[in-house]
PDB file of all heavy atoms in Angstrom:
ATOM      1  N   ARG A 513      -0.191   8.630  -1.021  1.00  0.00           N
ATOM      2  CA  ARG A 513       0.223   8.793   0.329  1.00  0.00           C
ATOM      3  C   ARG A 513       1.380   7.899   0.724  1.00  0.00           C
ATOM      4  O   ARG A 513       2.285   8.196   1.440  1.00  0.00           O
ATOM      5  CB  ARG A 513      -1.041   8.551   1.222  1.00  0.00           C
ATOM      6  CG  ARG A 513      -2.059   9.610   1.138  1.00  0.00           C
ATOM      7  CD  ARG A 513      -1.481  11.024   1.193  1.00  0.00           C
ATOM      8  NE  ARG A 513      -0.940  11.286   2.541  1.00  0.00           N
ATOM      9  CZ  ARG A 513       0.111  12.122   2.780  1.00  0.00           C
ATOM     10  NH1 ARG A 513       0.626  12.820   1.807  1.00  0.00           N
ATOM     11  NH2 ARG A 513       0.591  12.327   3.991  1.00  0.00           N
ATOM     12  N   GLY A 523      13.063   8.883   3.272  1.00  0.00           N
ATOM     13  CA  GLY A 523      13.923   9.261   2.125  1.00  0.00           C
ATOM     14  C   GLY A 523      13.830   8.379   0.934  1.00  0.00           C
ATOM     15  O   GLY A 523      14.718   8.414   0.052  1.00  0.00           O
ATOM     16  N   ARG A 576      -1.742 -12.454   1.457  1.00  0.00           N
ATOM     17  CA  ARG A 576      -0.667 -11.505   1.587  1.00  0.00           C
ATOM     18  C   ARG A 576      -1.215 -10.233   2.021  1.00  0.00           C
ATOM     19  O   ARG A 576      -2.060  -9.613   1.369  1.00  0.00           O
ATOM     20  CB  ARG A 576       0.152 -11.416   0.257  1.00  0.00           C
ATOM     21  CG  ARG A 576       1.296 -10.454   0.398  1.00  0.00           C
ATOM     22  CD  ARG A 576       2.334 -10.557  -0.681  1.00  0.00           C
ATOM     23  NE  ARG A 576       3.039 -11.830  -0.598  1.00  0.00           N
ATOM     24  CZ  ARG A 576       4.167 -12.030   0.131  1.00  0.00           C
ATOM     25  NH1 ARG A 576       4.650 -11.039   0.916  1.00  0.00           N
ATOM     26  NH2 ARG A 576       4.803 -13.118   0.136  1.00  0.00           N
ATOM     27  N   VAL A 582      -0.654   4.250   7.688  1.00  0.00           N
ATOM     28  CA  VAL A 582      -1.414   5.078   8.592  1.00  0.00           C
ATOM     29  C   VAL A 582      -0.848   6.509   8.558  1.00  0.00           C
ATOM     30  O   VAL A 582       0.380   6.667   8.720  1.00  0.00           O
ATOM     31  CB  VAL A 582      -1.464   4.538  10.015  1.00  0.00           C
ATOM     32  CG1 VAL A 582      -2.228   5.449  11.034  1.00  0.00           C
ATOM     33  CG2 VAL A 582      -1.987   3.044  10.094  1.00  0.00           C
ATOM     34  N   GLU A 594      -6.393  -2.002  13.821  1.00  0.00           N
ATOM     35  CA  GLU A 594      -7.734  -2.332  13.302  1.00  0.00           C
ATOM     36  C   GLU A 594      -7.638  -2.809  11.859  1.00  0.00           C
ATOM     37  O   GLU A 594      -8.377  -3.745  11.437  1.00  0.00           O
ATOM     38  CB  GLU A 594      -8.667  -1.055  13.428  1.00  0.00           C
ATOM     39  CG  GLU A 594      -9.067  -0.791  14.809  1.00  0.00           C
ATOM     40  CD  GLU A 594      -9.950   0.435  14.945  1.00  0.00           C
ATOM     41  OE1 GLU A 594     -10.490   0.867  13.909  1.00  0.00           O
ATOM     42  OE2 GLU A 594     -10.142   1.007  16.078  1.00  0.00           O
ATOM     43  N   LEU A 595      -6.800  -2.111  11.019  1.00  0.00           N
ATOM     44  CA  LEU A 595      -6.651  -2.526   9.612  1.00  0.00           C
ATOM     45  C   LEU A 595      -6.140  -3.915   9.558  1.00  0.00           C
ATOM     46  O   LEU A 595      -6.580  -4.724   8.748  1.00  0.00           O
ATOM     47  CB  LEU A 595      -5.846  -1.501   8.958  1.00  0.00           C
ATOM     48  CG  LEU A 595      -6.475  -0.158   8.591  1.00  0.00           C
ATOM     49  CD1 LEU A 595      -5.405   0.852   8.150  1.00  0.00           C
ATOM     50  CD2 LEU A 595      -7.600  -0.248   7.549  1.00  0.00           C
ATOM     51  N   ARG A 604      -9.080 -15.313   7.486  1.00  0.00           N
ATOM     52  CA  ARG A 604      -9.603 -16.574   8.192  1.00  0.00           C
ATOM     53  C   ARG A 604     -10.923 -16.859   7.624  1.00  0.00           C
ATOM     54  O   ARG A 604     -11.235 -18.081   7.266  1.00  0.00           O
ATOM     55  CB  ARG A 604      -9.734 -16.279   9.650  1.00  0.00           C
ATOM     56  CG  ARG A 604      -8.435 -16.351  10.362  1.00  0.00           C
ATOM     57  CD  ARG A 604      -8.647 -16.314  11.937  1.00  0.00           C
ATOM     58  NE  ARG A 604      -7.396 -16.490  12.556  1.00  0.00           N
ATOM     59  CZ  ARG A 604      -6.854 -15.611  13.356  1.00  0.00           C
ATOM     60  NH1 ARG A 604      -7.453 -14.468  13.616  1.00  0.00           N
ATOM     61  NH2 ARG A 604      -5.664 -15.876  13.910  1.00  0.00           N
ATOM     62  N   ALA A 620       9.346   0.277  12.189  1.00  0.00           N
ATOM     63  CA  ALA A 620       9.210  -0.244  13.533  1.00  0.00           C
ATOM     64  C   ALA A 620       7.861  -0.255  14.011  1.00  0.00           C
ATOM     65  O   ALA A 620       7.375  -1.235  14.680  1.00  0.00           O
ATOM     66  CB  ALA A 620      10.083   0.563  14.491  1.00  0.00           C
TER      67      ALA A 620
END
Side-chain angles (χ1 to χ4, degrees):
R513 293 311 297 151
R576 179 165 290 275
V582 178
E594 288 178 18
L595 288 166
R604 281 189 177 119

